[in-house]
Amino acid sequence: MLPISPRAWLLLTAVAGTLASTVACAARVSARSDAGASKSLDDSKRTVLITGANRGIGLELARQYHAAGWKVIGTAREPDAAKDLKSVGEDVLVPALDVTDPESVRALSKWLEQRPIDLLVNNAGVGDGGESSLAKIDAQKLAHVMQVNAIGPMLVTQALLPNLRAGKGRVIVSITSVLGSIEGDTDDGYYGYRESKAALNMFMRSLAAELRPEKFVCVPIHPGWVKTDMGGPNAQLTPEQSVAGIRKVIAGLKAGDSGKFWSYDGSNLSW
Ligand SMILES: NC(=O)c1ccc[n+]([C@@H]2O[C@H](COP(=O)([O-])OP(=O)(O)OC[C@H]3O[C@@H](n4cnc5c(N)ncnc54)[C@H](OP(=O)(O)O)[C@@H]3O)[C@@H](O)[C@H]2O)c1
């Protein structure tokens, strides 16, 4: 037996008690940090990149995702003029992007560096003035519509794929239109716009197939007829209503939903 005085014994047990409570406390702190770490995987901590986010549906997407706690990167052709987008929140990042310009797409990719992106929304788009007869088709205007609505989303997705692979969400959405449905109502012209959205839909379907092994979900979503500069004042939906629906569709997407044609109201549309 160790020769130890009662006073030294008391001191030793006190030190042992303090040590034990310090260890217990450290364990509690560690449990709290673990809880914090798992919280960082929440939807509210994810990053969305939205193209054409300075007005219309893109701006409302930025507003709603930001309000839900997401990190928002909203692109604009002219970031200095994107006042409404910047007013969404001081932490909203507004890089420049013209989807028709490969150099601009490359610059965005370089600016992003390795930043992970969980959700890409290819939203930027243009109408074609509604050309209703073959005689009115103008080659230059048609090429521009195809460039913005169909080729642009391909270039942006291609450039941002490393960032999307680094993210945890692995969702790619393109805002398309029911006017691109070949089986749908095709009675009223809009040649260029319809062609561009049909091409975009085909891209999303091919993309879904290519990226399925990597567990990506890739979908085109029709936003409804929306009161924006493009949709006009007589449209059926406000941007708030359309985007609430789009977000609900995105939040509910599962692996088997990839490569389907979605409407903002949660229904599937025919190709
Ligand atoms: N509104 C509807 O009823 C409706 C229906 C079906 C589908 N959609 C689709 O929904 C999407 C958004 O439409 P919206 O109604 O919000 O239209 P919008 O109000 O006219 O906004 C279009 C957005 O696209 C951007 N954009 C145009 N050309 C671009 C380019 N070359 N590079 C980058 N950005 C470009 C615009 O930027 P600038 O401000 O710089 O021009 C703007 O931010 C489009 O894809 C559209 O086809 C809309």
Side-chain angles (χ1 to χ4, degrees):
M1 176 123 178
L2 226 57
I4 186 166
S5 71
R7 190 178 148 75
W9 176 251
L10 268 179
L11 202 69
L12 262 179
T13 50
V15 168
T18 310
L19 262 177
S21 77
T22 307
V23 169
C25 180
R28 279 197 300 277
V29 169
S30 152
R32 272 203 298 274
S33 340
D34 286 347
S38 70
K39 195 163 184 287
S40 73
L41 302 180
D42 273 356
D43 269 0
S44 60
K45 300 292 171 204
R46 296 200 169 188
T47 298
V48 57
L49 189 143
I50 305 154
T51 65
N54 55 302
R55 58 189 171 99
I57 294 169
L59 176 60
E60 185 58 25
L61 280 163
R63 280 197 186 116
Q64 291 195 21
Y65 275 110
H66 185 265
W70 285 55
K71 181 83 191 156
V72 173
I73 305 172
T75 75
R77 284 196 287 186
E78 294 178 38
D80 289 345
K83 305 240 179 318
D84 291 340
L85 177 57
K86 286 180 177 168
S87 75
V88 169
E90 281 180 1
D91 55 338
V92 171
L93 300 173
V94 186
L97 176 67
D98 182 332
V99 301
T100 65
D101 177 2
E103 194 45 55
S104 173
V105 176
R106 264 193 295 277
L108 172 69
S109 157
K110 195 162 173 242
W111 175 85
L112 282 166
E113 295 180 329
Q114 314 295 321
R115 182 190 292 270
I117 295 172
D118 297 290
L119 165 63
L120 166 65
V121 185
N122 288 306
N123 164 77
V126 288
D128 67 354
E131 273 80 356
S132 55
S133 72
L134 191 60
K136 288 186 183 160
I137 291 171
D138 173 274
Q140 265 189 339
K141 276 204 255 172
L142 177 63
H144 181 67
V145 174
M146 294 298 285
Q147 199 77 39
V148 178
N149 293 357
I151 300 170
M154 296 176 79
L155 296 183
V156 171
T157 305
Q158 181 190 50
L160 270 46
L161 199 50
N163 305 81
L164 288 154
R165 283 187 171 125
K168 295 190 169 62
R170 299 209 162 194
V171 177
I172 302 172
V173 170
S174 287
I175 304 299
T176 183
S177 170
V178 72
L179 293 182
S181 167
I182 290 167
E183 292 169 321
D185 168 14
T186 48
D187 290 345
D188 60 352
Y190 295 99
Y191 274 94
Y193 188 72
R194 286 180 184 282
E195 282 183 27
S196 68
K197 293 297 189 181
L200 175 64
N201 289 352
M202 191 68 228
F203 164 58
M204 293 307 290
R205 213 163 148 79
S206 306
L207 188 69
E210 183 179 345
L211 296 183
R212 190 163 287 127
E214 294 184 59
K215 305 208 177 340
F216 271 87
V217 176
C218 309
V219 293
I221 303 181
H222 166 61
W225 184 22
V226 191
K227 290 186 205 329
T228 61
D229 292 338
M230 186 187 290
N234 297 326
Q236 290 162 339
L237 301 168
T238 62
E240 290 82 357
Q241 292 168 323
S242 166
V243 168
I246 292 170
R247 286 184 54 236
K248 196 170 168 196
V249 169
I250 293 173
L253 288 171
K254 298 184 185 61
D257 297 326
S258 195
K260 291 183 181 165
F261 184 0
W262 290 86
S263 169
Y264 77 98
D265 64 8
S267 60
N268 283 134
L269 299 171
S270 58
W271 296 104

